[in-house]
Amino acid sequence: MNWQVLATPEVPDSFRRRVEILTDGKGDRHLAQLLWQRGFNDENTLAGFLNPEAYASTSAFAFGQEMKRAVHRLVQAKERGEKVAIWGDFDADGVTATSVLWEGLGHFFPQETQLIYYIPNRLTESHGLNNPGIDHLQTWGASLIITCDTGSTNLTEITYAKSLGLDLIITDHHTLPETRPDVLSIINPRYFAENHPLFHLSGVAVAYKLVEALFETLPDPARPPVTDLLDLVAIGLIADLVALKGDCRYLAQVGIQALQKQTNPKTVVHPGIKALLENCRKTGDRPTDISFGIGPRINAVSRIYGDASFCVELLTSRERGRCGYLAQQTELANARRKEIQQKVVQQAKAQIETLDLSTTSVLVLCDAQWQGGVLGLVASQIAQTFGRPTILLTYDPQQDLWKGSARSAHGIDLYDLVQAQGHLLHRFGGHPFAAGLSIRPENLAMFKTAINQQARQQWGGHVETHQGEITVDLVVAIADLGESLFQSLECLEPFGMGNPKPKLLVKNCGLTVTGFKKLRDKFNNKLNYFKTNFELWDDTDQINGTWWGGHPDDLTQGAGLDVVVELDRKENQTQGQYFVRLMAVAPTANIAAEPSSQTLFDFRGQSLPQGDLDQYVLQQDCPVTWQELYRNYQRAIAIGKPLALYYVSPTADTPEQHFKILIGIAKYLLTQDQKVSLADLKAKLHCGDRPLDFGLKALSNVGFVAEIEAGQVRFQQATVTPDPEAFAQFKQAILEEQFQRQYFAQAPLAVIRATLEKIAV
């Protein structure tokens, strides 16, 4: 894990005093420093940044003639009784944009009879307009189509719609074509200069501005205020990861306030959002954490079902019973999405463990069984973990194509990289950081080779592998991590693109794990992740914190550590009550350490001279992964000792022999009524987490069930339940680990050294 500490700026005393006044004393020197280094240092606009009530929101009519033409056409359609269709998109921004137009325009056009919406199917259609969908709306009787979060570059489809006599109003925020589309109106903030307060609006925010303009043009005191839509705006705006600047930040601020009202039965406007928030609480997601709560739930619907249309009903219906049912369907989709994503991540990592990362610049991973809807998510996760551009592909037998998603790492221009192999591709589209592609089976092997050759030529044979790089905002002591700092940093909310949650570095401290528990998905009772509690201490104080993610054994403990943390709000709290969230940890000396040729020695299968053991950090167990070996390599560099490879070739016991050992342990502990730790089980079986997990499941074949609590296993007798798949998975996992260990037992020292030094860069 690597991090970059931002330079500490000189902050004028006048600015610090101004921050303190505008935050009623909450904002301290840390907040002033953050505001200054992030560029929010104009004292004339500072009040509006910190307090939405002091912000002068930009008029919807700042879009000029485009907005005027759109409003005029809508008024005309209302007066003539025309039928109007909304064309949306299937991600969170597109779904909420559709919902804003559906509810907002629904005050002027009777829903279903004069107003309908159409959202493409993620699994069978692509983003944007398409001719069959246009035909469907024309057959229904639409004379006007309003797009949201899409349409700017669909020039061919726009021409087709016009040939059918349809008018189009485009509301979008994506890249503009070179010439203005031939439409009645295009409302897209990309026409503004980048410093314009509306430039960063997402699709839902643009849709809201259109509704806002219509409400202003046709005022009606009896109509609910347009601000009732702001909770929908906040969801799409933050989920789409646009920069929270100007009106974007304002809409997010007031939108989150509206979102918080949905938790109160007396102020709820959208019962579907209330149901979504309740589900967030049940699974431990923070109530108004859109990025990790509501947004992924909406996105999961199209990833799993393809059709996201019912999400609009969920977000806009006033029928609480129906909303509860639809929220449950969304929750099931999200649980299934997480399960599939986790499975694909594991399978992708298993593939990577068979590769020589010292010669692999771009990860191209394929599996015919992978579900296309999650490949972009997994590719992003793998790219961040391994610090390499990643392409994940699955097979479409109907089209005889490998199809999938690509994600970049460390600013590498993925578009140029993949486009250079365009002659091998069937289709390709995207931008420098993300892309989609398809390829004929006969070209796949050549594509893998060619794109890696291209990468090596482009980067001079070296790939930057800054795994999980973090930008640190502030350096603090443990004593600083209190209520005062939490309240000060709260003044920066909402966090998002352009204004991320502050990362705090504590140097030269100690960490001790104090407990952990496994968190399981309530729908399928499968393990999702671990929640590990720990204590941090330094010369100034000590404090408790939490780490979500990997196994507690993977967390570095002891003194002499540098840790990066966030201060976050406790679960189910909308204000106050904070906790410390661990983001990264490394030995203190590792930040500035430079690996040398004398940091690694090879004593595999040999004996060390008596008395030499203290001179080395010993790698005594044959590793399974590079990450396992790299942890000891980091520690060795940190304490100034070389790492000695001091393990023997692994035994070649069969999976059946391993399973007999596990059965024997289960029988003995059952008769003795004793428990055993997961760590001890792995040691006795000479295996890792994955084989052990499958092995414990496979025990059902011989009448045992394993009950796991707080890292301890107790065995009980159970009715024999044949599960041949579990043993097959156990067998495969054992064989995979043996293959990996055999590699590390035989790999040349030069290859191991080169790979470790590249990871350390």
Side-chain angles (χ1 to χ4, degrees):
M1 180 63 66
N2 299 274
W3 45 73
Q4 175 189 2
V5 182
L6 295 177
T8 303
E10 287 292 332
V11 181
D13 290 339
S14 61
F15 184 79
R16 290 180 181 175
R17 289 192 294 269
R18 179 70 171 154
V19 168
E20 185 176 357
I21 292 171
L22 291 175
T23 58
D24 295 327
K26 291 182 180 179
D28 62 6
R29 59 184 177 85
H30 295 109
L31 177 62
Q33 179 182 328
L34 278 168
L35 288 166
W36 192 268
Q37 67 192 30
R38 291 184 177 186
F40 306 126
N41 49 19
D42 183 347
E43 294 191 27
N44 295 322
T45 60
L46 189 60
F49 180 88
L50 294 171
N51 181 4
E53 294 181 2
Y55 183 81
S57 63
T58 308
S59 168
F61 287 101
F63 283 98
Q65 291 301 316
E66 299 289 1
M67 182 65 77
K68 290 179 180 178
R69 280 194 293 267
V71 171
H72 175 76
R73 183 66 182 87
L74 284 167
V75 172
Q76 186 182 66
K78 177 181 181 298
E79 293 172 347
R80 294 176 177 176
E82 296 179 59
K83 290 186 174 182
V84 178
I86 303 164
W87 188 293
D89 196 29
F90 42 71
D91 65 9
D93 191 27
V95 166
T96 52
T98 306
S99 301
V100 163
L101 292 180
W102 177 245
E103 184 168 328
L105 298 182
H107 293 294
F108 305 93
F109 302 91
Q111 293 175 340
E112 306 294 351
T113 57
Q114 271 186 264
L115 184 70
I116 62 169
Y117 60 86
Y118 182 90
I119 297 178
N121 187 301
R122 180 191 284 267
L123 302 182
T124 59
E125 302 172 77
S126 62
H127 294 276
L129 296 163
N130 62 68
N131 289 355
I134 293 172
D135 287 337
H136 169 74
L137 298 180
Q138 197 257 353
T139 301
W140 174 73
S143 56
L144 173 63
I145 296 177
I146 306 171
T147 75
C148 50
D149 194 35
T150 193
S152 292
T153 57
N154 293 134
L155 303 183
T156 302
E157 291 78 12
I158 288 171
T159 300
Y160 179 72
K162 284 182 66 66
S163 73
L164 299 178
L166 298 174
D167 286 334
L168 277 91
I169 296 173
I170 304 292
T171 74
D172 193 10
H173 72 120
H174 292 104
T175 304
L176 294 165
E178 292 183 3
T179 59
R180 182 187 181 279
D182 186 15
V183 294
L184 182 95
S185 169
I186 176 168
I187 305 170
N188 188 322
R190 295 288 171 178
Y191 282 114
F192 292 120
E194 192 167 349
N195 61 354
H196 193 282
L198 297 180
F199 177 80
H200 294 286
L201 294 185
S202 72
V204 67
V206 178
Y208 177 79
K209 284 296 184 181
L210 175 59
V211 174
E212 188 179 58
L214 189 60
F215 270 51
E216 184 179 330
T217 303
L218 298 176
D220 182 355
R223 185 191 306 128
V226 70
T227 51
D228 277 0
L229 301 172
L230 285 172
D231 53 348
L232 299 172
V233 175
I235 293 171
L237 188 68
I238 294 176
D240 207 52
L241 301 179
V242 294
L244 296 182
K245 298 179 180 180
D247 274 57
C248 273
R249 177 173 171 84
Y250 167 75
L251 289 172
Q253 286 172 311
V254 294
I256 287 176
Q257 292 173 0
L259 195 63
Q260 291 169 345
K261 292 181 180 179
Q262 307 312 307
T263 62
N264 186 341
K266 295 181 179 180
T267 57
V268 63
V269 174
H270 296 117
I273 293 180
K274 182 176 186 294
L276 286 173
L277 291 172
E278 289 170 350
N279 284 335
C280 286
R281 286 196 187 90
K282 291 175 184 176
T283 55
D285 292 317
R286 286 154 285 171
T288 55
D289 191 336
I290 295 165
S291 297
F292 296 96
I294 300 177
R297 283 167 167 79
I298 295 174
N299 282 324
V301 173
S302 62
R303 296 185 191 280
I304 301 302
Y305 304 135
D307 183 6
S309 298
F310 79 73
C311 288
V312 177
E313 182 182 0
L314 166 64
L315 295 176
T316 60
S317 173
R318 301 305 196 262
E319 297 181 21
R320 300 195 177 194
R322 176 66 175 166
C323 287
Y325 169 77
L326 294 177
Q328 190 78 345
Q329 296 305 302
T330 303
E331 196 70 14
L332 288 168
N334 194 45
R336 179 62 178 154
R337 186 271 306 170
K338 287 191 286 187
E339 180 183 355
I340 293 172
Q341 183 177 344
Q342 185 179 38
K343 182 177 181 180
V344 174
V345 167
Q346 291 172 348
Q347 292 171 342
K349 288 182 176 179
Q351 286 191 32
I352 293 170
E353 289 175 0
T354 67
L355 302 175
D356 183 352
L357 294 183
S358 67
T359 61
T360 304
S361 303
V362 180
L363 298 171
V364 183
L365 311 173
C366 311
D367 191 312
Q369 303 303 314
W370 285 344
Q371 183 163 326
V374 302
L375 294 189
L377 295 172
V378 177
S380 179
Q381 196 170 337
I382 295 294
Q384 291 177 21
T385 301
F386 291 90
R388 290 165 170 79
T390 301
I391 301 171
L392 265 61
L393 301 169
T394 188
Y395 183 65
D396 182 347
Q398 293 183 341
Q399 298 187 45
D400 189 27
L401 290 171
W402 284 95
K403 304 166 68 174
S405 297
R407 294 294 184 270
S408 181
H410 312 306
I412 293 170
D413 193 326
L414 182 71
Y415 188 90
D416 283 350
L417 187 65
V418 179
Q419 191 179 45
Q421 316 307 322
H423 60 288
L424 298 174
L425 302 176
H426 176 256
R427 292 190 67 181
F428 169 66
H431 54 74
F433 305 110
L437 68 157
S438 58
I439 186 169
R440 295 289 181 194
E442 60 269 22
N443 292 337
L444 183 56
M446 190 180 300
F447 174 76
K448 289 183 180 181
T449 301
I451 198 168
N452 270 282
Q453 288 178 344
Q454 171 76 15
R456 284 193 292 272
Q457 292 172 4
Q458 186 171 329
W459 306 320
H462 177 67
V463 183
E464 294 289 342
T465 56
H466 299 293
Q467 298 187 7
E469 189 169 73
I470 292 175
T471 298
V472 172
D473 298 281
L474 298 171
V475 179
V476 298
I478 297 293
D480 294 321
L481 299 176
E483 181 72 28
S484 175
L485 180 59
F486 173 67
Q487 290 185 356
S488 181
L489 299 184
E490 267 192 313
C491 299
L492 279 173
E493 291 186 344
F495 299 115
M497 288 286 288
N499 184 40
K501 184 181 289 292
K503 303 293 188 297
L504 313 174
L505 173 62
V506 183
K507 292 185 175 182
N508 197 21
C509 64
L511 184 151
T512 302
V513 171
T514 57
F516 69 91
K517 65 178 180 179
K518 291 183 176 181
L519 299 180
R520 295 181 176 271
D521 190 280
K522 67 173 183 174
F523 288 96
N524 55 32
N525 198 35
K526 291 187 177 181
L527 174 67
N528 272 356
Y529 49 85
F530 289 89
K531 177 182 178 182
T532 302
N533 297 320
F534 60 86
E535 181 182 87
L536 280 182
W537 75 91
D538 66 5
D539 293 339
T540 67
D541 207 345
Q542 66 84 30
I543 197 168
N544 296 321
T546 304
W547 179 56
W548 276 271
H551 194 280
D553 290 346
D554 296 335
L555 192 57
T556 305
Q557 298 188 63
L561 300 175
D562 286 353
V563 301
V564 179
V565 300
E566 291 179 351
L567 293 183
D568 211 342
R569 191 172 287 115
K570 284 188 176 180
E571 297 170 8
N572 301 330
Q573 299 295 324
T574 56
Q575 57 184 3
Q577 298 193 34
Y578 73 99
F579 73 98
V580 175
R581 178 194 299 273
L582 180 67
M583 306 302 294
V585 58
T588 296
N590 184 59
I591 294 177
E594 289 290 340
S596 73
S597 60
Q598 297 303 309
T599 58
L600 188 67
F601 289 86
D602 190 2
F603 297 103
R604 287 173 290 180
Q606 304 176 29
S607 297
L608 286 173
Q610 199 67 15
D612 280 1
L613 293 180
D614 291 339
Q615 298 180 26
Y616 305 96
V617 172
L618 298 179
Q619 177 72 42
Q620 294 180 285
D621 295 321
C622 187
V624 177
T625 66
W626 284 108
Q627 289 70 30
E628 181 181 343
L629 185 58
Y630 182 63
R631 281 197 295 271
N632 264 348
Y633 186 64
Q634 277 188 310
R635 188 164 67 88
I637 294 173
I639 64 177
K641 293 183 178 182
L643 175 66
L645 305 183
Y646 188 45
Y647 51 79
V648 297
S649 296
T651 59
D653 292 341
T654 66
E656 288 77 11
Q657 290 172 314
H658 282 275
F659 194 58
K660 284 182 181 179
I661 295 172
L662 181 58
I663 294 172
I665 294 171
K667 286 181 178 178
Y668 174 80
L669 293 175
L670 179 61
T671 58
Q672 299 296 315
D673 192 28
Q674 293 181 4
K675 298 179 182 179
V676 64
S677 70
L678 289 169
D680 285 344
L681 270 181
K682 287 187 290 184
K684 291 179 183 299
L685 293 174
H686 301 288
C687 74
D689 288 329
R690 190 164 175 264
L692 179 60
D693 187 41
F694 289 135
L696 294 177
K697 292 177 182 176
L699 284 175
S700 63
N701 289 305
V702 291
F704 293 100
V705 62
E707 298 176 348
I708 305 172
E709 183 176 355
Q712 299 288 314
V713 184
R714 182 186 295 278
F715 294 99
Q716 302 288 350
Q717 285 187 317
T719 304
V720 174
T721 306
D723 187 4
E725 182 181 356
F727 181 75
Q729 291 172 323
F730 170 76
K731 181 177 179 180
Q732 182 64 29
I734 289 290
L735 292 174
E736 287 176 0
E737 281 199 352
Q738 288 179 347
F739 176 84
Q740 287 300 111
R741 285 197 172 99
Q742 198 64 40
Y743 171 83
F744 283 105
Q746 299 176 354
L749 183 66
V751 171
I752 294 177
R753 177 182 289 121
T755 303
L756 290 174
E757 289 182 355
K758 282 191 176 182
I759 295 174
V761 171

